Amino acid sequence: MAVWATVFLEFWKRRRAVIAYDWDLIDWEEEEILVVIAAVFGIVIYRVVTVSTFAAFEWALIRKNSQVATTGTAVCINFCIIMLLNVLYEKVALILTNLEQPRTESEWENSFTLKMFLFQFVNLNSSTFYIAFFLGRFTGRPGAYLRLINRWKLEECHPSGCLIDLCMQMGIIMVLKQTWNNFMELGYPLIQNWWTRRRLRQEHGHEAKASFPQWEKDFNLQPMNDYGLFDEYLEMILQFGFTTIFVAAFPLAPLLALLNNIIEIRLDAYKFVTQWRRPLASRAKDIGIWYGILEGIGILSVITNAFVIAVTSDFIPRLVYAYKYGPCAGQGQAGEKCMVGYVNASLSVFQVSDFENRSEPKTDGSIKYCRYRDYRDPPNSKEPYSYTLQFWHVLAARLAFIIVFEHMVFTIKNLISYLIPDLPKDLRDRMRREKYLIQEMMYEAELDRLQKERNERKKNGKSHHNEWP
């Protein structure tokens, strides 16, 4: 996905160059986060309290699926908070940009764009980063759980891993956000225009309204927003980030983005033609600061996916077991037969009598031991429940994988950027020919001027020797 993002940006530069040349804009120059943390912390507290409540629910369906129910409701609440905070962040970004007092309009646009993107990017992805890299990492172990205000045990990942929670988070947020954006882009103007037509019918009657000239009907449509195409750019950039940053955890994201964009192309066409007034065109040689943001997202996606593969998934623990602890240890091979016993090796032993009083299970005393997911020594060892050597092997392998993966992908990205020229060959030839023709025209014009001056001197009897040409 990181390679695709690089290829996409490189070919966009080529396409941008062609468009700028066709519109004669090659050489044109224009004249001239604490609330997020609180919101995420609130969602964390909600998940901690809710999972405990659902686990003790009377209905067996809710009790058995407490983890899924908690994640689903938390994502829906988080989406509502994201939408509300986006309205607040727009006003904050506008105030901060005006306080900077930029010198030119382009500087104001770049500053406002960067602030809006950072606010909305953090707002949209903060909970996703929490689930991917922090959920279940600091909960402690059986018998020594970390608790919120010494009461609620911190939430752990799904028994199958944190990728399930991450997939649910990304899937629900992506579908809800795209649905909401499409409604606001088309549904809201439709409702406003319907209300305008209703008001005109009440004021002028049906016959008078039908006799309005076309320009007056167009004037009664909704005006374009104050920021022009800013919202369209912001939506696509956020979607690009959501698609590339966690693609390793949610491979369906590119497909959902593609389907949404196919639908949105037609919705935008209908909106611009029938629901909005004709926007005023303005000249621009490129997409401005947006391209730098896209490059930054491409770099962040490499780092994030490396951590998702190494930390969130079981790829590295399975690899370490296959080569170091499994039936094929020391043989330099890995396969399905080499993973026999992996589940047993990934579970540690806990003595039930070591439970805290508040978390001790209700049993008849026949169960003396239980298993939990971690790499810790058994209770009868010299240092009970301390980390095993396998834990440190897995940790070292994860760090090594992140370093190797990042350097390899960044090398490939830079190689692709170097190999793909910014200007297509036919465009470069056209520009060279145009430059040659302009120089030839200037040379001929200068030659004609000097020839006329020499002829005038001859007529006046003031010819000089060694004149050029």
Side-chain angles (χ1 to χ4, degrees), residues 11 51 229 241 291:
F11 276 93
V51 72
L229 295 176
Y291 185 81

Side-chain angles (χ1 to χ4, degrees), residues 149-386:
I149 60 174
N150 200 28
R151 180 177 180 182
W152 291 293
K153 182 171 71 72
L154 297 181
E155 185 187 8
E156 296 180 300
C157 294
H158 192 272
S160 59
C162 292
L163 285 180
I164 299 298
D165 298 287
L166 188 57
C167 285
M168 289 185 62
Q169 172 80 15
M170 294 188 63
I172 295 175
I173 289 293
M174 194 169 188
V175 172
L176 290 179
K177 192 173 189 306
Q178 290 178 348
T179 303
W180 176 259
N181 287 340
N182 288 333
F183 169 76
M184 292 300 296
E185 288 184 5
L186 183 62
Y188 188 63
L190 280 172
I191 295 174
Q192 287 182 313
N193 287 329
W194 171 81
W195 183 259
T196 301
R197 290 193 299 269
R198 181 176 179 274
R199 178 176 54 81
L200 291 175
R201 284 196 301 267
Q202 293 177 350
E203 294 178 357
H204 304 283
H206 292 277
E207 297 181 358
K209 178 180 177 298
S211 63
F212 284 171
Q214 186 62 43
W215 64 266
E216 191 166 354
K217 293 179 181 178
D218 294 341
F219 179 78
N220 290 326
L221 296 176
Q222 295 303 310
M224 198 172 184
N225 57 55
D226 297 335
Y227 306 124
L229 295 176
F230 175 84
D231 291 335
E232 304 289 338
Y233 276 112
L234 182 61
E235 180 184 356
M236 289 295 101
I237 299 300
L238 291 175
Q239 184 191 89
F240 179 82
F242 211 70
T243 302
T244 57
I245 290 178
F246 290 103
V247 67
F250 189 54
L252 281 178
L255 177 61
L256 293 178
L258 176 63
L259 295 176
N260 173 77
N261 292 342
I262 292 174
I263 297 173
E264 187 165 355
I265 287 174
R266 305 314 309 162
L267 293 180
D268 284 345
Y270 179 80
K271 174 183 66 178
F272 275 97
V273 173
T274 64
Q275 303 301 315
W276 276 8
R277 300 174 189 170
R278 179 181 297 178
L280 297 176
S282 59
R283 305 181 71 187
K285 63 182 297 184
D286 51 30
I287 60 175
I289 196 176
W290 292 113
Y291 185 81
I293 293 175
L294 285 173
E295 287 188 325
I297 291 176
I299 296 173
L300 180 62
S301 67
V302 176
I303 301 173
T304 305
N305 283 293
F307 274 90
V308 168
I309 296 173
V311 178
T312 310
S313 71
D314 288 338
F315 176 74
I316 298 300
R318 293 172 66 90
L319 209 62
V320 171
Y321 177 80
Y323 285 98
K324 183 67 177 176
Y325 297 94
C328 304
Q331 301 179 13
Q333 60 179 345
E336 187 175 349
K337 64 178 183 179
C338 299
M339 297 307 300
V340 176
Y342 168 71
V343 175
N344 185 63
S346 63
L347 299 176
S348 301
V349 179
F350 181 75
Q351 190 171 351
V352 175
S353 59
D354 293 337
F355 266 119
E356 302 167 288
N357 294 331
R358 69 179 74 183
S359 58
E360 186 175 356
K362 297 179 181 179
T363 62
D364 56 0
S366 60
I367 301 177
K368 295 183 179 180
Y369 297 96
C370 64
R371 308 294 296 275
Y372 63 100
R373 190 168 181 166
D374 208 342
Y375 298 102
R376 293 181 182 271
D377 290 324
N380 55 358
S381 61
K382 293 182 179 179
E383 297 181 3
Y385 309 119
S386 60

Side-chain angles (χ1 to χ4, degrees), residues 422-438:
D422 294 344
L423 298 176
K425 184 177 182 303
D426 58 339
L427 177 60
R428 186 166 56 251
D429 294 341
R430 289 163 59 188
M431 293 175 64
R432 288 175 178 174
R433 176 171 175 77
E434 182 179 297
K435 185 177 180 180
Y436 168 76
L437 292 176
I438 292 175

Side-chain angles (χ1 to χ4, degrees), residues 9-10 40 103 132 164 311 315 327 366 370 399 404 419 465:
L9 292 178
E10 291 302 317
V40 175
R103 295 181 301 170
I164 299 298
V311 178
F315 176 74
S366 60
C370 64
L399 296 177
V404 173
L419 293 178
H465 297 288

